[in-house]
């Protein structure tokens, strides 16, 4: 690949900030140049007028008046729910799973259907600029094979694992395996697909995760077996992913039911090896730097502290939480714990593929929190959630997530002209006389107004995806 120069208004977060430092780390270059070397890495990011002489004759793509943003990172999305968005029936989480999701996911038993879904899933990711994702996988190995194969063909980044269930209602029967098969199939997927594209976990775009659906879909024996499995593959860079504290409708919510079923002090204990009655240790912990827990809406302080201590990240899914009536993850308390928080669509629990819409929803729900908990998120915090925080959650912050020199060049081109309402807002919206506030107003208007039509091009490691 030859060296490329891309021109446009650049926004990114430089360095390795915490979310509380995002505003300080925000970089805005209205007349910017992003240079991608022949190795697919960022060689220069700065003012067009400061472009080093050696790049001035390189092939140039002029995206002005468009914007260049780091590729979006989705830390929680469901492949077997590709066609389940906007599913109506059953109301909140547990009923919705039984009536809508389990039947939908069971259709992936048909290999041709699963293959079609894999193509559609990758199409959607490219169309919305999601360059990397933690993907909750299908229960069917042939469907996972289709997902990994199509992802590799398209050049996207993927972390995924087959959805593990060893229990559940009758509508989930096709998704349920024996205890032995649950471990066997997970191990086979790891051996077949983890870093299969390059053979090196540090350069691979394909990675595997151990993914039990949630604690109510497995047993204490499954959790013990998964802990043993994860202990045996953790040093290979394998991931862990599941749901945590999503829905707590009094008496019938997933949180209370989990604590009652396992007789534990906290939901997180079930993933932390303390899944025996009284939160006694029964196996190895599944938490760590490559572990991502989706939702975390109803966490106790001790759970947040434990996730921060172990380097476990939260996939924050405000669109899904609204859709299923799950409540609002308390922003200030969760941030104060020090845990890393990244954005997740949770499609099809959510009805959005676009990460910028997810961070826009985050702004709306957190400014609507009650009393002193209400907070107006800074636009840089929103950008952080959708880009750099996601790279950190995937433990790949050293590889992508911003435009620091040497990073792999994952980015999206946003062209406001493709979305008239966005173009109008950016052209005619009021801007402060204060340059810093005017910058923030432009970024906010951009993130709130991006639609799928706005995404003109999507790149991974400098290569445009089709």
């Amino acid at each position: 690949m030859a060296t490329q120069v891309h021109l446009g208004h650049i926004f990114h977060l430089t360095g390795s900030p915490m979310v509380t430092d995002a505003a300080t780390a925000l970089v805005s270059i209205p007349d910017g140049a992003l240079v991608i070397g022949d190795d697919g890495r960022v060689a220069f990011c700065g003012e067009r007028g400061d472009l080093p002489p050696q790049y001035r004759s390189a092939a140039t793509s002029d995206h002005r008046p468009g914007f260049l943003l780091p590729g979006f990172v989705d830390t929680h999305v469901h492949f077997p729910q590709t066609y389940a968005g906007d599913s109506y029936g059953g109301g909140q989480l547990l009923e919705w799973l039984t009536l809508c999701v389990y039947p939908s996911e069971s259709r992936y038993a048909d290999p041709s259907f699963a293959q079609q879904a894999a193509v559609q899933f990758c199409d959607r990711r490219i169309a919305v600029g999601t360059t990397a994702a933690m993907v909750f996988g299908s229960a069917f190995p042939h469907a996972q094979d289709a997902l990994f194969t199509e992802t590799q063909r398209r050049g996207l980044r993927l972390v995924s694992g087959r959805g593990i269930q060893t229990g559940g209602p009758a509508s989930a029967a096709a998704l349920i395996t024996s205890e032995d098969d649950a471990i066997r199939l997970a191990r086979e997927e790891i051996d077949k697909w983890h870093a299969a594209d390059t053979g090196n976990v540090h350069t691979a775009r394909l990675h595997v995760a151990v993914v039990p659906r949630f604690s109510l879909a497995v047993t204490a024996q499954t959790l013990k077996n998964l802990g043993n499995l994860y202990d045996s593959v953790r040093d290979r860079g394998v991931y862990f992913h599941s749901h945590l504290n999503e829905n707590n409708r009094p008496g019938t919510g997933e949180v209370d039911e989990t604590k009652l079923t396992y007789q534990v002090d906290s939901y997180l204990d079930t993933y932390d090896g303390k899944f025996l009655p009284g939160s006694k240790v029964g196996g190895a912990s599944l938490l760590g730097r490559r572990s991502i827990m989706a939702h975390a809406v109803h966490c106790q302080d001790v759970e947040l502290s434990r996730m921060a201590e172990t380097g476990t990240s939260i996939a924050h899914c405000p669109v899904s939480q609204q859709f299923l009536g799950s409540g609002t993850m308390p922003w200030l308390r969760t941030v104060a714990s020090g845990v890393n928080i990244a954005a997740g669509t949770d499609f099809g629990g959510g009805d959005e593929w676009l990460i910028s819409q997810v961070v826009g929803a985050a702004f709306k729900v957190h400014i609507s929190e009650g009393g002193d908990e209400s907070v107006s998120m800074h636009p840089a915090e929103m950008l952080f959630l959708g880009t750099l925080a996601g790279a950190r959650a995937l433990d790949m912050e050293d590889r992508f997530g911003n435009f620091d020199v040497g990073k792999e060049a994952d980015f999206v081109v946003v062209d406001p002209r493709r979305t008239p309402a966005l173009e109008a807002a950016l052209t005619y919206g009021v801007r402060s006389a204060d340059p810093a506030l005017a910058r923030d107003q432009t970024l906010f208007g951009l993130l709130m107004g991006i639609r799928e039509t706005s995404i003109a091009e999507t790149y991974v490691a400098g290569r445009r995806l089709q």
Side-chain angles (χ1 to χ4, degrees):
M1 183 175 69
T3 297
Q4 313 161 42
V5 178
H6 295 270
L7 304 180
H9 187 154
I10 295 170
F11 276 115
H12 79 119
L13 297 152
T14 190
S16 185
M18 300 292 287
V19 64
T20 49
D21 302 319
T24 303
L26 179 62
V27 173
S28 173
I29 312 173
D31 189 14
L34 181 66
V35 179
I36 314 304
D38 57 11
D39 58 356
R41 296 178 180 273
V42 176
F44 172 83
C45 177
E47 298 283 351
R48 181 169 63 97
D50 296 333
L51 191 67
Q54 66 267 34
Y55 302 129
R56 291 176 185 169
S57 60
T60 299
S61 297
D62 191 345
H63 305 290
R64 296 174 296 177
F67 295 80
L68 306 179
L69 303 178
F72 294 130
V73 182
D74 189 342
T75 56
H76 182 58
V77 58
H78 288 258
F79 165 52
Q81 294 174 25
T82 298
Y83 301 113
D86 298 312
S87 292
Y88 174 77
Q92 296 193 357
L93 177 65
L94 298 182
E95 297 89 348
W96 172 78
L97 286 170
T98 298
L99 294 176
C100 302
V101 169
Y102 294 145
S104 180
E105 293 192 5
S106 296
R107 298 182 70 192
Y108 283 61
D110 177 354
S112 61
F113 186 88
Q115 173 60 38
Q116 168 190 308
V119 172
Q120 177 77 4
F121 185 80
C122 291
D123 283 347
R124 293 269 54 77
R125 284 189 53 194
I126 293 170
V128 297
T130 297
T131 52
M134 171 64 85
V135 178
F136 192 106
S138 170
F140 303 105
H142 61 257
Q144 286 297 97
D145 289 345
L147 174 63
F148 278 105
T149 300
E150 184 64 16
T151 298
Q152 183 174 8
R153 185 181 76 82
R154 304 294 281 277
L156 288 159
R157 301 186 192 273
L158 172 72
V159 183
S160 184
R162 66 173 300 274
I164 297 168
Q165 286 190 246
T166 53
S171 62
L175 310 174
I176 296 171
T177 68
S178 68
E179 301 284 359
D180 289 344
D181 282 347
I183 303 305
R184 176 182 62 81
L185 293 172
R187 186 178 292 279
E188 288 176 357
E189 184 174 36
I190 293 166
D191 291 342
K192 183 173 185 178
W193 285 112
H194 191 57
D197 53 327
T198 67
N200 183 339
V201 69
H202 301 294
T203 60
R205 295 181 194 167
L206 303 180
H207 300 262
V208 176
V210 173
V211 185
R213 181 181 290 278
F214 61 146
S215 294
L216 289 175
V218 296
T219 67
Q221 185 62 50
T222 313
L223 290 171
K224 179 179 180 179
N225 293 341
L226 290 177
N228 291 336
L229 171 64
Y230 198 52
D231 257 8
S232 73
V233 297
R234 191 188 285 263
D235 62 355
R236 293 168 58 182
V238 173
Y239 292 78
F240 176 77
H241 185 49
S242 194
H243 300 84
L244 174 71
N245 288 327
E246 180 176 0
N247 186 290
N248 198 32
R249 184 171 56 184
T252 59
E254 158 233 14
V255 178
D256 285 344
E257 188 166 340
T258 299
K259 292 165 67 177
L260 180 65
T261 298
Y262 284 91
Q263 292 294 295
V264 292
D265 299 328
S266 78
Y267 195 152
L268 187 69
D269 283 346
T270 62
Y271 300 123
D272 201 15
K274 297 177 286 188
F275 48 76
L276 296 181
S279 289
K280 293 181 180 178
V281 173
S285 176
L286 295 159
L287 307 182
R289 284 175 58 89
R290 291 201 164 194
S291 299
I292 300 176
M293 308 308 305
H295 302 295
V297 175
H298 304 284
C299 286
Q300 302 172 42
D301 287 345
V302 67
E303 294 174 292
L304 294 173
S305 296
R306 178 60 175 158
M307 284 188 281
E309 175 190 356
T310 58
T312 300
S313 290
I314 291 172
H316 182 27
C317 309
V319 172
S320 165
Q321 287 148 24
Q322 291 177 305
F323 183 78
L324 292 172
S326 298
T328 299
M329 185 196 81
W331 179 255
L332 292 177
R333 185 164 68 90
T334 307
V335 168
S337 74
V339 67
N340 181 52
I341 308 164
T345 61
D346 193 28
F347 195 94
D351 59 352
E352 279 287 351
W353 289 95
L354 188 59
I355 285 292
S356 59
Q357 286 293 291
V358 172
V359 300
F363 178 88
K364 296 171 189 175
V365 300
H366 295 308
I367 203 170
S368 300
E369 290 191 61
D372 292 341
E373 300 305 308
S374 173
V375 59
S376 177
M377 294 178 67
H378 193 282
E381 295 176 340
M382 296 164 65
L383 182 63
F384 177 82
L385 279 186
T387 58
L388 194 59
R392 184 173 300 166
L394 295 177
D395 199 27
M396 296 189 205
E397 187 180 359
D398 61 328
R399 295 181 59 183
F400 57 86
N402 62 16
F403 296 140
D404 287 353
V405 171
K407 293 280 188 80
E408 296 175 42
D410 293 9
F411 64 100
V412 295
V413 178
V414 180
D415 186 347
R417 296 170 299 185
R418 296 162 58 101
T419 310
L422 174 60
E423 181 181 31
L426 293 174
T427 302
Y428 301 112
V430 172
R431 295 293 178 264
S432 171
D434 174 65
L437 180 55
R439 172 203 66 184
D440 298 342
Q441 290 170 331
T442 296
L443 177 58
F444 185 76
L446 178 67
L447 292 174
M448 296 297 287
I450 291 174
R451 299 295 184 269
E452 184 172 324
T453 54
S454 316
I455 307 295
E457 299 174 14
T458 301
Y459 290 77
V460 169
R463 173 179 170 266
R464 183 179 178 184
L465 306 185
Q466 304 293 333

